[in-house]
Each structure stands twice: as structure tokens, then as C-alpha cells.
Amino acid sequence: MKSRIVPLLKKEALHILRDPRSLYLALGLPMMLLILFGFAITFDVKNIPVGVVDLDGTVLSRDLFSRLHASQYFDIKFFKTSSADVESYLDRGEVRFIIIIPSEFSRDISAGKETGLQLLVDGSDSNSAQVALGYMAGLVQTFSAKILLEKVQRSGISIPLHLPPFQIEPRVWYNPELRSTNFIVPGLIAVLMMVIAAMMTSLTVSREWEMGTMEQLIASPVKPYEMIIGKLFPYYVLGLIQTLLVILIGQVLFGVPFRGNLFFLFLVSSLFLICGLGIGLFISTVSKSQQLSFMMSLILTLLPAFLLSGFLFPVASMPRLIRIVANLVPAKYFLTVLRGIFLKGTGLAVHWQEVGALFVFAVIIVFACTKKFKLSLE
Amino acid sequence: MICIEVNQLTKQFGRFTAVNNVSFKVEKGEIFGFLGPNGAGKSTTIRMLCGIIRPTSGSASVGGYGIDSFPEDIKRIIGYMSQKFTLYQDLTVEENIDFYSGIHRLPSKLKTERKRWVLKMAGLMGRETTLTRNLSGGWKQRLSLGCAILHQPDILFLDEPTASVDPASRRDFWDLIYDLSDLGTTVFVTSHYMDEVERCHRIAIIYNGKIIASGSPKKLKVQYTGNSESSLEDVFISAIKREKENEK
């Protein structure tokens, strides 16, 4: 007996090839979004605009200033000797914080009195303010240690001690320069693949509902599983091409290393694509208009993939209940594996749990679609 | 031989009863017309018989198969042409034909033969590579019919097949239906055009989900107007009048 799947596949391929919009949705859009977001989303805080007010005007305060100046983290926007009207720079957002060196700075230090640096911080962007404060604290600590050491030396006491007594000697693995791009891009690939996959299938099926061709198919001897394979497979192939493209962009444009096994990537991507395409198919059994399908697939895939997958916020630091929900998001597993493949070069031996979870998801969603397709005859 | 048998078939959508306790029989080779205004329950009945939706209660069999127990068998022996034009507009004439003969698993030899037959019947010889969306209404409709009968079904369900075509195409279309009936195909057709239903062997008038009259056009005319020369329109009006009186 001839298979009914072949004509279904052929038909779907013709739809895709004749409709430039679907090709754009599948290939153009993710590439564009990856390029856009890849450049826009960064956690690296460098060249923070700051202002310096030096009320002291001594050698010591100049020394501190030159240290700030030499640091690549700070970009000094102004240097003043009076604090009049400096807050307006914060209001206008021209600087992130203002360092005020008090007038008794040098004198207090010489006298051995406690003294402080005033820091006016724009906390509206709390994340980068925190990072900037961290840099600043580090800088001040080194500076204080240096002053202490000089004092001790000048007093003639010789102590066999290095100041500060000990320091961290970090050796960062996998991403030695701590580029946030290396962290963002693999995550972004997972988010984009999920959203686009769900959208592709949900739109193509709801289009058939809108056109009335679905009714024709239901009245024909086509079986639900044939229908599902006929819809999934062409978009699966398209999804793989899309995956390959975005990974190439990640490497070529963003310089994200690829240290893992290509075949393992293919395997995991396949499972993940089936999850995404299946979710789309499931949506289309509920929603029979393209507009609703579009909205539903956007909300049901984009939000979880963005917020609960660990793309931006680590799942481990979420509240317990949210963590449980996050475990139901396929993108969470795929993202972990992708970061592993890209940065660590890890394979199935490390990621078998995630691969297992994706496999279970894929099976459940395809099974649910087959069931639901029968019921949707109503 | 009875080909379609419907017993007290009912379909409710929520609290709305679309088809109310409908029973009728259709003989093999017959052209059976289902006449009624829009929203009377014609499409709902057809869609239940084709296995697209399930009845709320009652039973029916098509070609000897119960619609509840053997919907897959029914789907193999019927052809269905829905009210909407349901071919793929972005596919060419030939691609649509190939698709439908593919999902009916026609053997290659028969496939070529049937394709030629459909192209000829629809007058689309030489237009195989035209995109379906660029065809005119009459052509689209004949191509739809062609795709619905590629697999030579025993029973053909046509839901308002001539709703959007010009009178000349309608006449041609009915000639085709006659040819099919002569070859032994049972045709179940819905319409709200009185003149074309006149050409059916037997008709049932459906109103508000209920069958209010059925029989051959001639018999109905005598029964409802006392005159075999009167029009079906008169039959229709007087049948509805009687129904309303009965309700009171």
C-alpha cells in the first residue's frame, strides 16, 4: 500500500516554498532577532560614566583620581573641585555615579582618623549600579591597602607581610574573559527556536482550519498520526536549517566558541524542535484562527522560555514554586545542554538527564496531539 | 438497496438544537436533495454523515457502516464537497489533483487515468499548472467536484455545491451529477435553490432542524398544493405553513 504521508509532505513543502512569509518566519526572523538581541543584551558593565568632585585637591586625592581614570570600567565624564549642581548630571543620566572626595580627605588619613568617600549612585538601573559599586569597592580597597602599607613602612617597622594578606587568584574556566555574549547567545538560540517552532506549526494548521481544507482532510481517510507527521516533518527540516543558521551566526558574528559534538547538537536540537513544533500543533487544535494561534504561541512559549528557562535569571535562585514550574519548560533543559555544548564541550555523559527530560516531553506532546486531533473533529 | 439510513439523528450545540430528531433513507444510485433555508441544519446533517462531527443522539449508517462505529470505513467510500471552496489555493490544478489522489492512495495507473478524466470533466485541460487561486468560480467548483470524486466514491455528499456559481455553470454542474448518478453513484445534495432541487429523484425539506416534508418532487407537489404542475416554491411555503400550524 502506498503511504498517505508522502502526498501530505509534498503538499506542505509546496506551501512553504510558495509562501515567502513562512520562509521569512522560519529563517529570516530568528536570524534578525539573534543579531538584534545578541548585540543589545549584555551584562558586561564597562566604561561606566562617572563624575569626580575633588574637594580635597591634594596629592592623595589626585592619586585616587588617576586610579579611577586608568580603570577600564570607568569613563570619567567630568572633574570638578566644587560640588555645586553636580546632581543634575545624575538627573539627566549623563553619569551613573558621582565620587565626592571630601575636603579633609588627605588630612584625616594623615591624622589616622576615619574618613570616607561619598558616592552618589543612580540606582534606577539596579543591576549595573550594583556591578559598578562592586568595581568601585575593589578599587578603594586596593587603594586603602596601599596607603596602609606606605604608613607602616614610613613608621620604620618592617613586617614580613604583604598587604592585603591574601587575595583571590581566579582561574575562570569555559569563558575566561567572562564575556556575557558567550552566555547570552546559546540561551537566545534556545528561546528563538522554541518560539519560532511553535509558531510555524500552529499557524500552518490554523490556516487549514480557516481555509476549510482541514474539514476536507477530516472527511478523507487521512489518519491523525499521518496528519501529524505530515505537518511536523517539513517544519522539523526547516527548524534544523534554522538551528544551523543561528549557530553559524553565533560563531561568526559573536565569536561564541563551539567546543562540543555536532552530532550531539543535532540529536538534542531534534528533540527540542519536536517539543516546540508539537506545542504549536497542540495550540492549533484549540485555536482555529491564525491570529489567535499567533498570540497563543507567543505567550505560551516566549514568556516561559524567556523568564523560566534560566536564559537571563538562574533557575536555582528562584522561589521553590517557580522552580517547579520552570521544570516544565523544555527550553530550560535545552539551554543547559546548549551552553554545555558551546562552552564546555560536554556531551551525553553529562547531559543525559536533560536529554531524557526533552525526550519525555517530545513523546508526551506528540501523543497528546494525536489524541487531541481525534477529538478536534468536534 | 438502502444506501444511507438515518434514524432520529440529533445534534445540539450547547442549548441550540441544529438538527432535531431527523430520520430518512436514501436508495443506492439516487439523487437525494436536502432543501431548506440557511441555518436549517443541512450542513450539520451532512457533516455528521461524513464523520466530521459526532451526533448528540440517534444513529445513521452510510454504505452499511454505522457513523459511530466505522467512521474510517465511511471515509473511504464517500466523496465530500463542502460549502466553502476547499482546495489549496497556493497549489496548481495538477498539484491539488495529485494531492487528493495521493491521500486516497490511488495506484499510479489509475491516478493518471483519473487525473485526465477530472481535467477533461472540469474543462481544465492545458491549465494544469495554473495556480488554483487564479481560476474562476465555475472552474474552481468543478475542480472541487473532481477532487471529491477522484477515488470514485460510492456516495457523494455535496453541500450547497452551486452556491457561488453562475446559472450556466450550475446547469453544467447538474448534468455532471446526473452522469454520476447514472453510473450508480448515490448523491446527497443540499441546496436552497428550488429550481435545481427539482431535478432530484427525491427531496426532503428541512426547517429549523426538522424534516417537515419528504418524497419525490411530483408527490410533494400533489400532497401540498394538489397540483403536480405547481412549483417547489409553493410546496416549500405550504409545508412551512402546515408545520407552523402543527406547532400551535
Side-chain angles (χ1 to χ4, degrees), chain A residues 73-180:
Chain A
Y73 298 119
F74 304 111
D75 177 15
I76 294 172
K77 287 285 175 198
F78 66 79
F79 177 81
K80 285 178 188 256
T81 49
S82 136
S83 60
D85 202 32
V86 289
E87 289 89 348
S88 66
Y89 286 92
L90 278 181
D91 291 344
R92 289 194 301 270
E94 282 174 32
V95 294
R96 273 287 152 71
F97 60 87
I98 299 169
I99 302 148
I100 301 177
I101 307 172
S103 52
E104 301 85 13
F105 185 65
S106 186
R107 209 180 57 204
D108 283 350
I109 289 176
S110 307
K113 274 202 274 179
E114 202 183 82
T115 188
L117 272 182
Q118 197 186 0
L119 221 56
L120 300 177
V121 186
D122 173 1
S124 55
D125 177 355
S126 59
N127 194 37
S128 37
Q130 209 135 41
V131 176
L133 278 176
Y135 291 149
M136 195 63 206
L139 194 139
V140 166
Q141 211 158 30
T142 330
F143 189 67
S144 306
K146 192 201 137 215
I147 293 170
L148 189 62
L149 190 66
E150 277 173 6
K151 261 194 162 179
V152 170
Q153 279 169 350
R154 233 178 291 140
S155 69
I157 308 166
S158 130
I159 42 164
L161 182 66
H162 182 80
L163 275 175
F166 67 92
Q167 267 181 320
I168 299 170
E169 273 179 33
R171 275 199 58 209
V172 180
W173 281 24
Y174 311 129
N175 186 9
E177 298 145 67
L178 288 175
R179 291 176 66 220
S180 66

Side-chain angles (χ1 to χ4, degrees), chain A residues 210-223:
Chain A
E210 270 179 16
M211 301 287 290
T213 46
M214 188 55 87
E215 183 162 324
Q216 205 68 47
L217 288 177
I218 293 171
S220 82
V222 172
K223 296 194 170 59

Side-chain angles (χ1 to χ4, degrees), chain B residues 7-178:
Chain B
N7 276 316
Q8 299 176 316
L9 204 60
T10 298
K11 177 70 190 180
Q12 286 172 322
F13 295 107
R15 295 172 71 185
F16 171 68
T17 307
V19 174
N20 189 358
N21 213 10
V22 159
S23 304
F24 59 87
K25 285 182 183 130
V26 180
E27 297 275 336
K28 185 174 166 27
E30 202 174 31
I31 303 178
F32 187 82
F34 221 40
L35 181 65
N38 289 333
K42 303 189 298 283
S43 295
T44 308
T45 309
I46 271 205
R47 294 169 86 214
M48 282 191 280
L49 294 179
C50 292
I52 297 166
I53 53 175
R54 283 181 199 288
T56 310
S57 66
S59 65
S61 71
V62 174
Y65 298 110
I67 57 169
D68 273 331
S69 338
F70 304 101
E72 299 310 312
D73 293 295
I74 293 178
K75 287 172 184 180
R76 274 188 293 106
I77 58 160
I78 62 163
Y80 169 57
M81 189 176 149
S82 78
Q83 209 167 348
K84 257 179 156 177
F85 174 72
T86 53
L87 297 179
Y88 294 96
Q89 308 260 13
D90 56 338
L91 264 52
T92 65
V93 169
E94 191 170 23
E95 285 160 354
N96 266 303
I97 298 174
D98 287 344
F99 173 68
Y100 282 104
S101 57
I103 60 172
H104 284 292
R105 299 204 278 213
L106 296 194
S108 323
K109 205 178 150 209
L110 187 63
K111 198 176 148 177
T112 334
E113 197 181 293
R114 293 298 291 169
K115 190 200 293 192
R116 194 170 305 136
W117 181 85
V118 167
L119 286 171
K120 207 168 152 211
M121 176 275 278
L124 284 165
M125 282 286 198
R127 289 185 186 268
E128 291 87 341
T129 54
T130 308
L131 282 185
T132 312
R133 76 161 73 91
N134 297 333
L135 294 177
S136 72
W139 265 330
K140 277 186 185 174
Q141 180 229 25
R142 269 174 300 187
L143 181 60
S144 288
L145 176 69
C147 288
I149 58 179
L150 269 170
H151 57 297
Q152 294 167 297
D154 299 338
I155 306 153
L156 182 58
F157 289 95
L158 305 170
D159 194 3
E160 307 248 2
T162 56
S164 57
V165 283
D166 59 86
S169 301
R170 259 167 64 193
R171 178 169 291 274
D172 293 347
F173 192 82
W174 274 88
D175 287 341
L176 278 170
I177 293 177
Y178 261 91

Side-chain angles (χ1 to χ4, degrees), chain A residues 127-296:
Chain A
N127 194 37
S128 37
Q130 209 135 41
V131 176
L133 278 176
Y135 291 149
M136 195 63 206
L139 194 139
V140 166
Q141 211 158 30
T142 330
F143 189 67
S144 306
K146 192 201 137 215
I147 293 170
L148 189 62
L149 190 66
E150 277 173 6
K151 261 194 162 179
V152 170
Q153 279 169 350
R154 233 178 291 140
S155 69
I157 308 166
S158 130
I159 42 164
L161 182 66
H162 182 80
L163 275 175
F166 67 92
Q167 267 181 320
I168 299 170
E169 273 179 33
R171 275 199 58 209
V172 180
W173 281 24
Y174 311 129
N175 186 9
E177 298 145 67
L178 288 175
R179 291 176 66 220
S180 66
T181 312
N182 287 357
F183 171 81
I184 296 282
V185 168
L188 203 50
I189 291 174
V191 173
L192 289 175
M193 274 173 65
M194 176 45 97
V195 176
I196 303 288
M199 217 169 255
M200 287 193 301
T201 40
S202 70
L203 283 181
T204 162
V205 178
S206 45
R207 184 172 67 174
E208 296 229 24
W209 281 112
E210 270 179 16
M211 301 287 290
T213 46
M214 188 55 87
E215 183 162 324
Q216 205 68 47
L217 288 177
I218 293 171
S220 82
V222 172
K223 296 194 170 59
Y225 82 89
E226 294 168 328
M227 188 71 212
I228 284 167
I229 295 173
K231 283 285 176 195
L232 282 185
F233 191 74
Y235 291 96
Y236 165 72
V237 173
L238 204 57
L240 280 183
I241 299 174
Q242 173 206 327
T243 312
L244 212 64
L245 275 174
V246 288
I247 284 169
L248 269 177
I249 289 181
Q251 276 193 277
V252 174
L253 203 61
F254 296 107
V256 178
F258 185 88
R259 302 198 172 101
N261 180 319
L262 206 60
F263 179 75
F264 181 56
L265 175 74
F266 163 76
L267 177 90
V268 192
S269 306
S270 298
L271 285 177
F272 183 63
L273 274 174
I274 293 172
C275 292
L277 297 168
I279 289 173
L281 216 52
F282 195 78
I283 289 171
S284 69
T285 61
V286 184
S287 143
K288 284 165 189 173
S289 83
Q290 293 191 71
Q291 212 170 7
L292 188 62
S293 290
F294 183 82
M295 291 309 295
M296 279 179 75

